[in-house]
Amino acid sequence: MNNKTVFASLVLVFVVALSYAQEITIVGKVIDNITKEPIFGATILIENTQRGTTTNELGEFTLKNIKTSDYILVSFIGYKHQKIKANQKKYVIFLKSEENRLEEVVVSASRTQQRRQDVPVAISTVSAETLDVIKPSSLDQVLNQTPGVLMVDLGNEQHMMAIRQPISTKSLFLYLEDGIPIRPTGVFNHNALLELNMAAINNIEIIRGPYSSLYGSEAIGGAINFFTANPTAMPTGSFSIRGNDQGYLRMDAKVTTTVGKTGIYVSGYKSQIKDGIRAYGDYDKDAITFKLTHQFSDKTSLSNTLTYIKYFSEMSGSLDETKFINKDYTSYHTFTYRDSRALRFNSTLKHVWNEKNNTSLTLIYRDNSMKQNPSYRIDNDAAFDSYTPGQVNDNSFNSYGFVAQHNINFSKGKLSIGSSLDYSPNTYEALETSVYRNIDGMYESYSLTGNYLSNYAVDLFNIGGYLSGEYQVSDNFKLSAGLRVDQFNYDFVNRLGVDASDYKAPNTKSTFSAVTPRLGAIYKVNNQIGTYANYSNGFLPPSVGELYRKTDVPLLDPSKFNNYEVGSWLKLFNNKLYVDVAAYYLRGKDEVTSVTVQDGAVRIRENRNVGETEHYGVEYLLKLKPVTNLSLRFSGSYSKHYYIDFVTKIVDGEATTDYSGNEMKGAPDWVNNAEIKYTPSAIKGLRVSVEWQHVGSYFTDDANTTTYEGYDVFNTRVGYKKGHWNLWVNMLNIADKLYATKASTDWGSTTYTPGNPRTFNLGLEINLF
């Protein structure tokens, strides 16, 4: 070998060695494969080293002094890990979610990100992927797939709820949007979720059982947290149209992107029913959400969300037994309605002080009005060709408040310290109407009588403080605890004055306070099997409607609820099987009950803290994926609900109407939902599923003399996604089953809210980018 050859070989070796030793700086973004949202908190590690970083709220990361021969490992809880060669300076990394995600991230249990298996409470999630596949036209279509939840569809996005409670309109369920109650304490409405923009929902978390230790009042049966979508890391837009053969039509639109450090998100939908199966059952809804985020630095970010809802629905009323059996959906009503306007704004500032400390502050504003000419205020037994009383009312409020929280992380656990304030001036007025029922039995027209049934203003002021923390006792054992202190102040003014002919409740200031603890423990056998136990306490102050009645202000205390719970989860056979089970015992006392008291000829009706109830049951979820393209899910609950003490009428000192010991009405024992889903590999993008919804029998009256048999409904969903196009057909109630979503017996007469007959929903979505 001559000198030139030796020199050339040395140069080649030097160049190759230099190239392998070359160090570069890598920047990138980590993005959810489905939503295209940035993933905050993803871990970026250099393989075989301890060096790495995490992504910020824009999903961004930077790695310096990286060799081009290195590999980087990208991971986040609930997603499939990726391994990437570090031979580029810029990356956009899409992470795909795992099936049967035991380690998915939840936020609702502590207002911070944490693993599901680190939370000693019964909590379920509805993912963005599930919402994208099901394309629900009402929220019950996804919430009823979670264990222990029965959301009752009343039509036109109206609803009732049952979570560890019977089907109820009571304020036993807390509805949140991005961790903030949709409505303030004291003015609960069981139809609150019609004030949501479904098009903007990214995912949902459901905590079952009392969770007042963090959220305060109303989180008794459960707390449902709806998270709005965040701006995507890249330009994304879509337009969709859907409809069915029952008069339903809906159009959605979305545009979102991130420009530099600023994210922009706009989405909304317009829906309606015209000439549906129910006579006088049409509705219109407009919903829009704006979201603006800005990342000032890796440590400081701001998120602003504005939602506006405009909703109007005719109120046809429920059906009597004859109409229900004969599938006669005509209505006696021609003018009753519900008219809602809701504006909500929240602004959240987050700052990371260091690796162990971070703070968030959310400012809140609400402007809400719900006007009604309700069918349920008109006497169903009024004589033909006669006049009967009715009413029109307007329940409105504004809200101003904040939620502040500071989080401290330490080697063995974490601690959160928070406070909240909500000031909500509330006004209510109800005007009497004179309703004419014609000779055919139709409620034909109405006129105002000029008489106020009520007219008042209440300033609602709630201030609370809370502590929440966890401590890792050992590798397998963790303790979790929470404590909240609340004070509620109601300042009531009767705008009619005490000399009014009818509504005479005196001006009153009322104060209520509560201390609500929670204690839990988790034991993990390993990363695949774990169990937990918890005790939680919940409370519910009297509502405005319960306090300020026609002639007096009753002396009421908050209702109290104690919950005892054990649960377990396991994931086996390489993630092919996932099981989650919870058993609970819940007892309520000092519940507000309307009691009729008669002494001789004097008869009064008043609210008292005399109700006591007992609830227990088992909730379960099973997911099985025997082969790649086939998955099965079975979820549900078995529960019992009893009156321990429930007297509603006392005559001359003796209880004459006593339901103590009876089962509570509207409480089905069994509620189950199962689904089989198939995605054939031969036709990529095709999905087919069959769903079974079962609701067991239940008593429709407190005396336990009348029963509704319950129902079984089967649904099938077929979808095909290719490129920018997404087409779906959802066939609901494919057996055309006659069933009632709710049945109730009052004064010896049973009424039914009918479920939809066989319905074909067709939709088409175009992704613009």
Side-chain angles (χ1 to χ4, degrees):
M1 183 180 296
N2 59 38
N3 291 338
K4 289 184 178 181
T5 302
V6 172
F7 179 76
S9 299
L10 290 174
V11 169
L12 179 62
V13 170
F14 176 77
V15 169
V16 170
L18 183 63
S19 66
Y20 273 94
Q22 182 180 358
E23 293 185 346
I24 60 174
T25 296
I26 292 176
V27 296
K29 285 186 176 182
V30 181
I31 300 170
D32 183 286
N33 183 61
I34 298 294
T35 66
K36 304 301 186 291
E37 289 185 13
I39 296 177
F40 168 55
T43 300
I44 317 295
L45 286 175
I46 304 169
E47 189 179 33
N48 298 323
T49 75
Q50 297 299 315
R51 293 178 56 204
T53 186
T54 58
T55 56
N56 63 19
E57 294 209 10
L58 293 177
E60 299 171 333
F61 69 90
T62 301
L63 290 174
K64 296 182 178 180
N65 303 322
I66 306 301
K67 296 179 181 179
T68 54
S69 59
D70 285 336
Y71 285 87
I72 56 175
L73 307 177
V74 184
S75 63
F76 189 62
I77 300 167
Y79 289 82
K80 296 177 181 178
H81 298 184
Q82 284 197 33
K83 179 178 178 180
I84 300 170
K85 184 74 177 290
N87 56 1
Q88 300 179 35
K89 294 184 178 181
K90 191 172 183 179
Y91 288 88
V92 177
I93 302 166
F94 293 92
L95 290 187
K96 295 181 179 180
S97 61
E98 293 179 333
E99 291 283 345
N100 299 343
R101 296 178 293 174
L102 177 63
E103 289 194 330
E104 61 189 333
V105 168
V106 293
V107 176
S108 301
S110 64
R111 297 187 192 268
T112 61
Q113 286 189 348
Q114 57 187 144
R115 293 178 174 88
R116 161 65 186 95
Q117 61 178 318
D118 290 332
V119 181
V121 298
I123 186 169
S124 302
T125 62
V126 178
S127 67
E129 184 176 7
T130 297
L131 290 167
D132 182 61
V133 168
I134 292 180
K135 300 292 186 184
S137 54
S138 57
L139 288 168
D140 59 283
Q141 294 170 14
V142 290
L143 288 178
N144 287 346
Q145 293 189 350
T146 60
V149 177
L150 175 60
M151 181 178 179
V152 175
D153 177 20
L154 300 179
N156 300 354
E157 295 191 29
Q158 300 166 110
H159 61 92
M160 297 171 71
M161 191 66 70
I163 307 174
R164 297 193 178 181
Q165 293 284 333
I167 299 168
S168 177
T169 60
K170 293 183 178 181
S171 52
L172 298 168
F173 314 103
L174 183 63
Y175 303 126
L176 305 124
E177 183 179 56
D178 296 328
I180 306 300
I182 294 173
R183 282 173 161 255
T185 296
V187 287
F188 175 86
N189 188 288
H190 68 90
N191 283 310
L193 297 186
L194 65 80
E195 299 167 357
L196 279 176
N197 178 6
M198 285 194 290
I201 298 172
N202 181 71
N203 62 294
I204 309 169
E205 295 180 1
I206 305 102
I207 296 176
R208 306 189 299 278
Y211 216 69
S212 294
S213 62
L214 181 63
Y215 292 114
S217 173
E218 298 177 356
I220 307 300
I224 306 180
N225 200 354
F226 299 87
F227 292 91
T228 54
N230 289 311
T232 54
M234 57 189 63
T236 304
S238 64
F239 173 81
S240 68
I241 184 168
R242 69 187 79 178
N244 65 30
D245 55 339
Q246 307 296 342
Y248 180 74
L249 180 66
R250 171 173 154 181
M251 291 179 288
D252 294 48
K254 177 181 73 174
V255 177
T256 173
T257 191
T258 297
V259 180
K261 299 294 184 180
T262 302
I264 305 166
Y265 175 92
V266 183
S267 77
Y269 71 98
K270 181 177 181 62
S271 63
Q272 65 177 33
I273 288 179
K274 298 294 183 186
D275 301 323
I277 64 163
R278 298 290 301 276
Y280 202 72
D282 294 353
Y283 94 110
D284 289 278
K285 179 177 177 179
D286 300 314
I288 190 166
T289 296
F290 300 90
K291 196 165 195 176
L292 184 70
T293 64
H294 187 74
Q295 189 79 30
F296 293 100
S297 68
D298 286 343
K299 295 190 174 186
T300 307
S301 64
L302 180 68
S303 176
N304 305 282
T305 306
L306 177 70
T307 293
Y308 176 72
I309 307 294
K310 179 182 177 183
Y311 176 94
F312 180 88
S313 177
E314 298 172 339
M315 295 177 66
S316 57
S318 53
L319 303 179
D320 60 34
E321 189 166 9
T322 301
K323 279 179 172 286
F324 175 68
I325 292 174
N326 293 326
K327 299 185 180 180
D328 179 0
Y329 300 120
T330 59
S331 174
Y332 294 122
H333 299 282
T334 62
F335 53 77
T336 49
Y337 63 84
R338 176 172 285 119
D339 186 353
S340 178
R341 302 287 189 276
L343 176 70
R344 292 187 302 277
F345 173 76
N346 67 71
S347 180
T348 300
L349 180 67
K350 295 181 180 179
H351 183 73
V352 178
W353 302 98
N354 50 47
E355 291 183 356
K356 296 184 177 180
N357 292 269
N358 62 82
T359 304
S360 67
L361 172 65
T362 300
L363 301 180
I364 306 161
Y365 174 73
R366 310 183 190 96
D367 185 359
N368 192 293
S369 172
M370 182 171 284
K371 300 177 181 179
Q372 295 186 104
N373 189 333
S375 57
Y376 56 81
R377 294 297 186 189
I378 300 173
D379 184 5
N380 286 329
D381 297 323
F384 291 12
D385 192 22
S386 70
Y387 289 87
T388 187
Q391 69 171 251
V392 292
N393 57 55
D394 183 357
N395 194 349
S396 301
F397 63 85
N398 296 106
S399 294
Y400 312 87
F402 71 83
V403 175
Q405 181 168 310
H406 182 74
N407 306 300
I408 305 169
N409 297 300
F410 50 93
S411 59
K412 291 287 187 177
K414 64 181 182 180
L415 177 68
S416 296
I417 307 169
S419 63
S420 65
L421 179 147
D422 193 304
Y423 171 62
S424 296
N426 170 224
T427 61
Y428 180 84
E429 64 177 39
L431 286 164
E432 185 182 49
T433 61
S434 177
V435 177
Y436 175 61
R437 190 175 198 184
N438 66 22
I439 59 175
D440 298 319
M442 302 294 293
Y443 294 99
E444 182 178 279
S445 62
Y446 73 96
S447 60
L448 296 174
T449 66
N451 179 41
Y452 274 99
L453 298 175
S454 60
N455 188 357
Y456 60 76
V458 187
D459 286 346
L460 305 167
F461 185 81
N462 169 215
I463 186 167
Y466 59 89
L467 290 170
S468 178
E470 58 184 47
Y471 181 75
Q472 191 76 45
V473 179
S474 67
D475 290 342
N476 301 94
F477 186 59
K478 177 181 287 188
L479 292 175
S480 175
L483 180 70
R484 182 177 173 111
V485 179
D486 279 277
Q487 179 171 303
F488 295 87
N489 297 286
Y490 295 10
D491 188 353
F492 170 80
V493 176
N494 184 350
R495 298 194 294 197
L496 296 177
V498 295
D499 295 327
S501 59
D502 192 14
Y503 193 82
K504 299 181 179 181
N507 297 346
T508 308
K509 292 184 178 180
S510 305
T511 299
F512 307 97
S513 60
V515 178
T516 46
R518 174 184 58 83
L519 181 63
I522 303 170
Y523 179 77
K524 298 179 187 177
V525 178
N526 50 46
N527 287 331
Q528 309 299 314
I529 303 173
T531 187
Y532 71 87
N534 81 62
Y535 162 78
S536 60
N537 180 261
F539 76 100
L540 181 65
S543 68
V544 170
E546 291 170 333
L547 277 171
Y548 308 114
R549 300 178 66 84
K550 283 191 174 184
T551 58
D552 62 352
V553 179
L555 297 176
L556 296 175
D557 294 319
S559 303
K560 304 173 186 66
F561 297 83
N562 291 291
N563 183 73
Y564 306 87
E565 180 181 324
V566 294
S568 185
W569 68 86
L570 60 89
K571 186 167 65 170
L572 301 174
F573 310 121
N574 196 25
N575 299 341
K576 293 184 183 296
L577 174 66
Y578 174 54
V579 179
D580 195 336
V581 180
Y584 69 91
Y585 177 81
L586 172 65
R587 189 151 184 160
K589 64 179 182 178
D590 295 332
E591 297 185 59
V592 177
T593 302
S594 180
V595 180
T596 299
V597 181
Q598 184 172 335
D599 288 315
V602 179
R603 181 178 177 177
I604 62 172
R605 193 173 181 85
E606 63 183 10
N607 287 331
R608 296 183 175 185
N609 287 114
V610 294
E612 188 171 352
T613 59
E614 178 184 56
H615 319 261
Y616 57 85
V618 179
E619 301 156 342
Y620 39 83
L621 169 66
L622 183 147
K623 291 183 179 181
L624 179 64
K625 194 175 180 64
V627 294
T628 303
N629 303 107
L630 183 68
S631 62
L632 299 92
R633 174 189 51 77
F634 179 71
S635 60
S637 62
Y638 174 80
S639 60
K640 301 294 287 186
H641 307 269
Y642 290 99
Y643 292 118
I644 301 300
D645 191 357
F646 197 70
V647 174
T648 62
K649 189 173 182 179
I650 302 172
V651 177
D652 297 330
E654 296 292 330
T656 59
T657 305
D658 186 354
Y659 300 121
S660 303
N662 286 9
E663 287 196 42
M664 300 178 72
K665 68 177 182 179
D669 291 351
W670 292 98
V671 175
N672 291 310
N673 187 284
E675 182 184 43
I676 300 175
K677 184 166 60 177
Y678 179 58
T679 54
S681 54
I683 309 176
K684 189 176 181 180
L686 180 67
R687 61 184 185 274
V688 180
S689 67
V690 177
E691 177 191 33
W692 167 56
Q693 174 74 50
H694 170 76
V695 174
S697 63
Y698 56 86
F699 291 112
T700 60
D701 64 337
D702 291 326
N704 291 176
T705 60
T706 309
T707 303
Y708 177 57
E709 63 184 7
Y711 58 87
D712 293 275
V713 171
F714 293 88
N715 308 311
T716 184
R717 298 178 174 91
V718 180
Y720 180 66
K721 181 183 288 188
K722 184 174 183 179
H724 294 280
W725 302 87
N726 187 6
L727 175 68
W728 68 92
V729 180
N730 295 337
M731 293 163 283
L732 308 181
N733 192 8
I734 56 178
D736 202 21
K737 169 80 172 181
L738 174 64
Y739 73 103
T741 59
K742 176 182 176 291
S744 181
T745 302
D746 295 291
W747 308 108
S749 176
T750 302
T751 57
Y752 302 84
T753 300
N756 286 327
R758 183 189 296 117
T759 304
F760 293 88
N761 295 275
L762 177 66
L764 175 65
E765 181 180 52
I766 305 171
N767 293 296
L768 305 176
F769 303 104

